[in-house]
Amino acid sequence: RSPTHPSHLRSPGCSPVDSRADSLELSRSMTLPLLQACCWLAAIAAVAPFRVRPTCAGCDRPIHMSCTALSWDSLASRLPSLAAEQPTLLDPVLAPCPASPSGLTLFRERHGWCPYSEKVWLALELKGLAYKTVLIDNMGGGRPDWYRGQTPQIQWADGRTQGESMDIVKALDAEYPASRPLYPPEGASMSSVAQMISAFRQSFPSNARPSSRAAYLFSYSGPLSRSDFEKALDATEKLLAQHDEGPFFVGRELSAADVSWAPFLERYAAQLPCLHDGLLPRDASRWPRLAEW
């Protein structure tokens, strides 16, 4: 992307350079919190099922959660995708694969770090389409010679390829009109979906790096403040209140807007408590609509 273009205004995808820079920034800021998280997980495993507020054995800090552990069977029953045939998964790092697999194919970042790949992945799953996945290593060790550009990319059934995550999500509706509509869903307008997708740019920190593994966690000069994150969550809460007939961004049905926001809010839910003690995006007492979403 152009070095003079404001990078937060367009989802950049995931590149090898971004991935290495993110590794250094993320490792410096999160090594201690991750070690603490391991202590917390060990405490949780020892008492499951539970409904407690355990503390870390190493530092005596409380774990900010209250839940009942579920069995594997119970968890499996809550995942509709398990009832569907899993997509063919090709990993060029482990075994050679053709440069142009036949049929609808998603090329996504190999390790699951890329939120832009996740947008397309989520849309494909919501629409119930049959597709293949080719994993692309952006760390440089096993990236296939025949692959060009960033992730994600889609190869359509006729062999055409396309990039830019939300352009792909929108095109999926046009290419597969009989599948579940996302842009827009039934009962919503195209303009309302587009408005909510665009609102992300004004809601999340504008000075943050929209990178792959540390998306919107750091500025170009260092960490973001707690207030930066709280403002983003407050703005998200207000947006969800605009269509209060349902829990999603445009009301009752999941849409391309939810697909666009989900990877970043999902990561915030896991990452912000590690960066700032007690900052919990799923806190229903402060952000009830976000928690319901």
Side-chain angles (χ1 to χ4, degrees):
R1 55 184 182 267
S2 166
T4 61
H5 182 73
S7 58
H8 70 277
L9 295 182
R10 186 170 177 84
S11 57
C14 299
S15 68
V17 174
D18 281 343
S19 295
R20 287 192 290 271
D22 297 340
S23 294
L24 294 174
E25 190 71 66
L26 201 56
S27 63
R28 292 191 190 110
S29 301
M30 299 187 71
T31 298
L32 179 58
L34 286 174
L35 289 174
Q36 293 171 343
C38 290
C39 295
W40 296 348
L41 290 172
I44 293 169
V47 298
F50 66 91
R51 185 171 288 277
V52 297
R53 291 177 68 84
T55 58
C56 171
C59 64
D60 254 355
R61 296 174 65 184
I63 300 176
H64 299 283
M65 63 174 64
S66 178
C67 62
T68 299
L70 301 174
S71 69
W72 287 115
D73 288 340
S74 179
L75 288 171
S77 69
R78 298 181 179 209
L79 297 173
S81 62
L82 291 181
E85 183 178 351
Q86 296 300 295
T88 300
L89 190 68
L90 304 174
D91 188 345
V93 173
L94 301 179
C97 72
S100 298
S102 60
L104 183 64
T105 304
L106 168 64
F107 297 89
R108 66 173 173 86
E109 185 273 326
R110 183 172 187 255
H111 303 286
W113 293 319
C114 174
Y116 310 99
S117 291
E118 186 180 342
K119 292 180 184 184
V120 182
W121 186 4
L122 179 56
L124 288 165
E125 289 293 320
L126 286 172
K127 295 177 79 65
L129 298 173
Y131 66 98
K132 298 181 179 70
T133 294
V134 177
L135 302 180
I136 300 298
D137 187 356
N138 284 331
M139 296 302 293
R143 189 179 174 92
D145 295 337
W146 46 261
Y147 189 82
R148 297 291 183 270
Q150 299 179 338
T151 51
Q153 292 182 34
I154 199 86
Q155 176 184 279
W156 301 107
D158 61 6
R160 292 175 296 120
T161 59
Q162 184 174 353
E164 180 59 32
S165 58
M166 291 311 295
D167 289 348
I168 295 172
V169 171
K170 189 173 184 177
L172 284 169
D173 272 6
E175 294 283 337
Y176 299 94
S179 64
R180 177 180 184 169
L182 296 173
Y183 212 128
E186 294 182 6
S189 67
M190 179 77 77
S191 61
S192 65
V193 174
Q195 178 188 6
M196 287 299 174
I197 292 174
S198 178
F200 178 87
R201 300 170 183 173
Q202 290 79 46
S203 302
F204 265 49
S206 60
N207 60 329
R209 296 177 57 214
S211 50
S212 54
R213 282 175 289 172
Y216 296 94
L217 288 179
F218 303 98
S219 72
Y220 288 92
S221 58
L224 293 172
S225 69
R226 184 188 187 103
S227 63
D228 287 326
F229 297 124
E230 290 175 333
K231 289 176 183 176
L233 298 175
D234 288 341
T236 306
E237 180 77 7
K238 291 179 181 178
L239 286 171
L240 288 167
Q242 291 183 19
H243 297 274
D244 59 2
E245 66 273 16
F248 303 112
F249 274 98
V250 294
R252 295 187 180 89
E253 298 293 333
L254 280 162
S255 72
D258 300 281
V259 168
S260 179
W261 282 74
F264 304 103
L265 291 174
E266 175 190 42
R267 284 159 175 75
Y268 265 22
Q271 293 165 332
L272 295 192
C274 295
L275 294 174
H276 297 282
D277 188 36
L279 182 55
L280 307 172
R282 291 193 174 102
D283 182 355
S285 64
R286 179 164 184 181
W287 298 292
R289 291 182 175 88
L290 181 55
E292 183 183 9
W293 178 86

